[in-house]
């Protein structure tokens, strides 16, 4: 199986994209975790999509926070030193 196809082991429940081959029988695919022949194709795990959604949410929050700090600095509600320091923290250089 290639990396874009996933399988689930019926015996141990392991989900993966790599399968082992039983020695001497190249066509006999086995679970890499328990060695069971009882594997079935399945869709890719949902944690990948969930992680991408969460990353987008954090990016949106960071962009909103950055815009808020810039507006506060521009209108004088936040001293320049704090704006500079906040920009460094958001950039990861502080």
């Amino acid at each position: 199986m290639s990396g874009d196809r996933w399988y689930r082991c019926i015996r141990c429940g392991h989900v993966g994209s790599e399968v082992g081959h039983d020695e001497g029988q190249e066509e006999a695919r086995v679970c890499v975790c328990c060695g069971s022949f009882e594997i079935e194709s399945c869709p890719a795990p949902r944690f990948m999509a969930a992680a991408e959604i969460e990353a987008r949410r954090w990016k949106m929050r960071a962009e909103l926070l950055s815009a808020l700090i810039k507006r506060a600095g521009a209108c004088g509600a936040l001293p320049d030193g704090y704006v500079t320091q906040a920009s460094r923290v958001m950039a990861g250089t502080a």
Side-chain angles (χ1 to χ4, degrees):
M1 289 185 178
S2 64
D4 60 340
R5 292 177 54 193
W6 292 79
Y7 79 93
R8 184 181 73 81
C9 177
I10 296 170
R11 180 199 268 171
C12 71
H14 174 76
V15 176
S17 60
E18 297 296 322
V19 293
H21 296 285
D22 191 25
E23 290 185 29
Q25 298 179 356
E26 193 168 321
E27 294 299 316
R29 296 182 173 139
V30 297
C31 174
V32 294
C33 192
C34 70
S36 173
F37 291 99
E38 301 175 40
I39 60 174
E40 63 184 1
S41 295
C42 70
R46 293 187 180 261
F47 67 86
M48 299 296 280
E52 290 174 359
I53 291 169
E54 192 63 25
R56 286 188 198 120
R57 286 181 183 154
W58 279 106
K59 181 181 178 199
M60 183 181 68
R61 290 177 186 145
E63 289 171 351
L64 290 171
L65 179 61
S66 176
L68 178 66
I69 290 171
K70 286 179 183 177
R71 282 195 319 247
C75 74
L78 194 61
D80 290 339
Y82 288 119
V83 174
T84 303
Q85 185 65 24
S87 298
R88 287 183 183 153
V89 168
M90 287 186 293
T93 58

